[in-house]
Amino acid sequence: SLLQLKLWNKYRVSNIPSLIFIDASTGKVVCRNGLLVIRDDPEGLEFPWGPKPFSEVVAGPLLRNNGQTLDSSALEGSHVGVYFSAHWCPPCRSLTRVLVESYRKIKEAGQKFEILFVSADRSEDSFKQYFSEMPWVAVPYGDEARRSRLNRLYGIQGIPTLIVLDSKGDVITRQGRVEVLNDIECHEFPWHPKPVLELTDSNAVQLNEGPCLVLFVDSEDDGESEAAKQLIQPIAEKIIAKYKAKEEEA
């Protein structure tokens, strides 16, 4: 029915079963990954399962691939890419290769940036092998509870996913994968979302995220595409501002 379709679209449900908790008084999403909540907290001790700050969820020791450990408080004051990935997943491996270069470029440009690997590998050995290629930090593989809490915090539905946070731990973009692949030189870092994008193979995935307006222009004429952009830019900015005021995703 139309109502069912509206609910699927509103909550961006892409696979089932899916369990989403909302606050009845405000209608706001409390938690996207209800299935993980029920698995991790069968007694309901953490109810009402609202989002916690990143610094609280990530709290604890982190690893470097040389075996050194450091405390998660070392991430404070940096932009952080929370990278959900696994060696068994081919798109993850190809993204990791690009991400290693992006990480190097951003650090060399003097930006405060760290990446946190949250593994979905199927064994400790496979985690170690994959992590040996990464110059950043990871949640220890054995700390399954913390890995699961981070998955829950960001409602991760598939990998690879790269969530980019600002220095306060707030989400800048959930589309880090698209941004990294579209901006090989990292000129746009930390990739604040743009109101109007040029549609490409790699960012077309965003068409699944919610309602989109796609404007077709004659690509042979560069002036025309710039004029089209200027036409829809103020409309897009207005819509984004409206949702921001309501503290909702546009």
Side-chain angles (χ1 to χ4, degrees):
S1 77
L2 190 60
L3 177 61
Q4 285 171 319
L5 196 60
K6 273 186 172 170
L7 286 168
W8 277 67
N9 287 339
K10 180 174 173 63
Y11 297 114
R12 301 203 312 275
V13 175
S14 57
N15 50 12
I16 54 172
S18 196
L19 178 61
I20 295 168
F21 293 116
I22 57 176
D23 179 334
S25 58
T26 63
K28 286 205 176 118
V29 172
V30 174
C31 171
R32 287 195 171 282
N33 271 16
L35 296 171
L36 276 184
V37 167
I38 285 171
R39 193 194 75 189
D40 292 353
D41 184 22
E43 307 288 312
L45 301 177
E46 292 179 41
F47 182 83
W49 304 304
K52 295 186 166 76
F54 169 69
S55 57
E56 189 181 317
V57 176
V58 78
L62 302 175
L63 291 180
R64 289 203 178 278
N65 65 15
N66 60 6
Q68 268 185 314
T69 61
L70 68 162
D71 190 73
S72 57
S73 59
L75 301 175
E76 284 167 22
S78 292
H79 284 81
V80 176
V82 189
Y83 183 37
F84 298 86
S85 187
H87 190 261
W88 52 261
C89 150
C92 291
R93 293 200 299 275
S94 54
L95 179 61
T96 297
R97 285 193 288 275
V98 177
L99 200 51
V100 167
E101 286 306 302
S102 303
Y103 178 75
R104 190 177 53 75
K105 285 173 188 160
I106 293 165
K107 300 282 262 193
E108 280 174 3
Q111 300 264 20
K112 291 186 85 175
F113 181 51
E114 196 47 76
I115 293 177
L116 174 66
F117 171 41
V118 183
S119 166
D121 289 292
R122 291 172 177 153
S123 71
E124 177 103 35
D125 284 346
S126 147
F127 161 75
K128 281 182 175 151
Q129 182 194 344
Y130 194 28
F131 187 40
S132 70
E133 304 163 20
M134 300 179 182
W136 45 74
V137 298
V139 176
Y141 184 78
D143 194 342
E144 203 175 326
R146 195 161 27 139
R147 289 192 289 127
S148 187
R149 281 199 299 273
L150 284 159
N151 272 279
R152 258 164 55 192
L153 179 62
Y154 298 115
I156 301 303
Q157 293 194 335
I159 56 172
T161 294
L162 178 67
I163 311 264
V164 182
L165 310 178
D166 66 16
S167 55
K168 297 198 296 289
D170 296 325
V171 174
I172 292 175
T173 179
R174 301 177 58 86
Q175 299 289 344
R177 175 193 185 181
V178 172
E179 298 293 354
V180 163
L181 296 176
N182 271 349
D183 179 25
I184 294 296
E185 293 305 316
C186 307
H187 293 316
E188 306 279 333
F189 176 82
W191 303 302
H192 287 279
K194 293 191 192 72
V196 180
L197 289 174
E198 198 162 301
L199 195 58
T200 64
D201 283 355
S202 59
N203 68 24
V205 62
Q206 293 178 171
L207 296 173
N208 298 326
E209 292 281 303
C212 294
L213 171 69
V214 182
L215 184 59
F216 293 89
V217 293
D218 184 355
S219 59
E220 300 306 306
D221 174 8
D222 280 342
E224 191 179 326
S225 77
E226 197 42 54
K229 209 178 227 178
Q230 284 172 6
L231 174 73
I232 56 177
Q233 181 89 12
I235 301 169
E237 284 173 357
K238 207 183 206 164
I239 292 168
I240 287 168
K242 185 181 99 180
Y243 279 91
K244 206 168 186 167
K246 291 200 284 188
E247 291 182 14
E248 284 179 15
E249 283 186 55

